[in-house]
DNA sequence: AGTTATAAGTTATATGACAACTTAAATAAT
DNA sequence: ATTATTTAAGTTGTCATATAACTTATAACT
């Protein structure tokens, strides 16, 4: 990705566009639509495989693969000898943000807005619940971040890990999972914007971020949830503001069209 | 679900336990493990279908269905003529909390802790960005909630919708999606606990909740993000406290052993 | 060396068959 | 007539074989 990153992304998009929708894709959408429309509700029985074969005009292989896909998505359940059913827990769809959904700066900003809320309370919980091992791990990541010779990728990695350690220190598995989820989606755009805006990697920037991190850590060490909340919110607000400023800058310099 | 709810849940659990793992299940786990172990990384090529047939000793149908399942989960991509690959975006796994994962009061409490953070900032954004239509919708849900003759299910539904409208008023699609996600998972346990603790549906409880809701709405109408943040956080904190108190009560009255 | 055609390899789809399970219908026992 | 058992029908799970569609490697031609 580092070499010819833009070209690789471009080629990949092209490849996706050239892929013709398969029969399994179409069968999936047909079944999915019948569920989303309410015609088939959680627990209700769907047509049999044989009936789908007739209705869709495809082989049983295609129907079975479509069912496998929908079962994996939690929408459908196949019961041997009985038939196909809309899953009782079809409503429990996962929360997903695909890479394609985070393609604009406005998407990144939305994501940062969400992350601000999560990080704020998470830090407060970490202040209440952290262990000494948690604190040591946080310190270690900040030490790595403070090294003068660190490269951008290692810097991003240590930053992400610092936040992941805080999440784990909250002793709430959902925070830990959600922060990891958000982190995965924010790393590529962040690295991209940091590369584009060289000023972001200057010494002044690093010093500001370092202070913010230290303030969070300090509050967590002192077991002060309110201070941790304020420090974390401040840190995330700064990040959000920078992206909003970037958005404003870009929209005021956009080509006329 | 209303009639014999407990029995239906019990029967369903039993049915799940009796289902024998299929060959597709096993094939899935084999492939998934090879990815998670790092032996196969994003972008790397996996063994061909034919090779999996040999290695796993199953038919090609089983391999293909396993692949369909893993593809639906975003882990694997099949490219016709080329082979099977670990998806470039395998790391972008969805955030999922299955119904089975929210089975204890402690799970509900963790979920409420997460929800507290999300609702707090969401209300602030809604105060900044809400439209008149948003406000009308919020009012409507509070009106429904205030009706004397409302049943428990309609009450829960209106409460959920009130929060969903706030989420949409934040004009951040990720907040809207996440609140919906959290709401789906909190409705069943909430209804259950409300049913068990009759005191929760008393007039005093309703009055307190109503005041909290009105405070949030008022701040949003006045376009006061700070007040909205405080009101929403206060509202969610109360809910969280009640559940923590319930947990404390239950753990101090738990059977010995 | 470059271009084109052919062969080999891989996934997408189709078809037919049997295995394993569930339910309905028929038959036997009381 | 009712109940219990057996059989048949229906449905998903798996296997095997074949062809279509696509990709890559190899061979043949210019």
């Amino acid at each position: 990705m580092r070499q010819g990153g833009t070209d690789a992304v471009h080629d990949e998009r092209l490849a996706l566009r050239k892929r013709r929708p398969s029969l399994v894709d179409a069968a999936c959408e047909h079944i999915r639509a019948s569920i989303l429309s309410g015609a088939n509700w959680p627990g209700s029985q769907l047509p049999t495989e044989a009936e789908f074969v007739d209705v869709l005009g495809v082989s049983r292989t295609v129907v079975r693969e479509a069912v496998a896909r929908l079962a994996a998505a939690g929408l459908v359940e196949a019961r041997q000898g009985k038939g196909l059913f809309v899953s009782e827990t079809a409503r429990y769809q996962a929360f997903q943000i695909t890479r394609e959904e985070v393609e604009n700066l406005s998407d990144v900003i939305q994501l940062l807005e969400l992350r601000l809320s999560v990080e704020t309370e998470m830090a407060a919980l970490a202040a209440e619940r952290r262990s000494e091992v948690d604190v040591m791990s946080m310190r270690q990541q900040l030490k790595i971040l403070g090294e003068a010779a660190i490269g951008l990728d290692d810097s991003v990695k240590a930053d992400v890990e610092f936040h992941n350690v805080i999440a784990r220190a909250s002793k709430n598995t959902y925070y830990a999972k959600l922060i990891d989820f958000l982190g995965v989606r924010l790393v590529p755009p962040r690295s991209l914007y940091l590369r584009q805006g060289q000023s972001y990697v200057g010494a002044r920037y690093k010093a500001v971020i370092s202070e913010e991190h230290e303030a969070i850590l300090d509050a967590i060490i002192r077991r002060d949830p309110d201070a941790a909340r304020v420090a974390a919110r401040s840190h995330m607000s700064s990040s959000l503001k920078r992206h909003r400023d970037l958005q404003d800058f870009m929209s005021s310099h956009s080509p006329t069209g």
Side-chain angles (χ1 to χ4, degrees), chain A:
Chain A
M1 194 68 162
R2 192 177 308 179
Q3 303 163 344
T6 308
D7 287 343
V9 173
H10 183 69
D11 290 342
E12 199 172 67
R13 294 273 173 84
L14 215 55
L16 285 174
R17 286 201 193 124
K18 282 182 174 172
R19 179 174 163 270
R20 190 185 54 182
S22 68
L23 296 181
V24 176
D25 293 334
C28 263
E29 284 319 301
H30 175 94
I31 300 173
R32 187 190 297 270
S34 77
I35 296 172
L36 294 188
S37 74
N40 295 291
W41 55 92
S44 76
Q45 183 154 12
L46 291 161
T48 63
E49 290 179 0
E51 283 164 343
F52 277 126
V53 166
D54 290 339
V55 168
L56 298 171
V58 293
S59 73
R60 194 176 157 218
T61 307
V62 171
V63 170
R64 288 194 57 78
E65 283 191 35
V67 167
R69 192 184 293 185
L70 292 169
L75 276 175
V76 166
E77 279 180 56
R79 298 193 192 122
Q80 185 171 351
K82 295 193 65 169
L84 306 175
F85 297 82
V86 179
S87 174
E88 292 281 1
T89 54
R91 191 78 178 84
Y92 284 65
Q93 291 295 296
F95 179 69
Q96 172 66 297
I97 304 175
T98 61
R99 189 165 70 173
E100 288 72 44
E101 289 178 54
V102 191
E103 60 180 10
N104 299 317
L105 182 55
S106 62
D107 301 322
V108 174
I109 285 168
Q110 281 198 82
L111 211 46
L112 287 168
E113 285 175 356
L114 179 58
R115 190 176 177 214
L116 182 152
S117 75
V118 175
E119 294 259 2
T120 299
E121 287 299 326
M122 180 184 88
L125 289 178
E128 289 175 15
R129 301 173 179 170
R130 63 28 168 227
S131 67
E132 293 302 329
V133 176
D134 293 325
V135 171
M136 284 167 56
S137 298
M138 292 176 208
R139 277 210 171 100
Q140 183 174 10
Q141 300 309 321
L142 291 194
K143 183 180 174 188
I144 295 171
L145 274 170
E147 284 168 10
I150 192 172
L152 175 61
D153 288 337
D154 289 337
S155 175
V156 168
K157 190 173 167 185
D159 183 88
V160 167
E161 184 58 20
F162 174 68
H163 290 272
N164 281 344
V165 174
I166 296 175
R168 293 198 289 273
S170 76
K171 305 302 192 285
N172 179 319
T173 59
Y174 302 142
Y175 270 108
K177 283 172 62 177
L178 188 56
I179 283 295
D180 183 49
F181 173 94
L182 294 173
V184 166
R185 285 149 182 79
L186 281 169
V187 166
R190 270 169 71 191
S191 301
L192 189 62
Y193 295 124
L194 287 175
R195 284 201 175 97
Q196 288 185 344
Q198 284 296 328
S199 59
Y200 289 116
V201 296
R204 184 178 158 198
Y205 171 73
K206 289 188 66 173
V208 168
I209 297 296
S210 179
E211 277 181 28
E212 290 173 353
H213 281 153
E214 290 289 341
I216 297 171
L217 178 59
D218 180 60
I220 288 171
I221 290 173
R222 290 187 290 109
R223 297 192 190 273
D224 185 342
D226 290 331
R229 191 179 289 120
V230 169
R233 194 169 189 288
S234 173
H235 174 52
M236 302 313 305
S237 291
S238 302
S239 177
L240 180 54
K241 183 178 184 319
R242 279 191 292 274
H243 284 85
R244 280 177 172 157
D245 289 347
L246 183 59
Q247 189 184 35
D248 291 343
F249 177 80
M250 286 171 72
S251 60
S252 64
H253 288 74
S254 64
T256 307

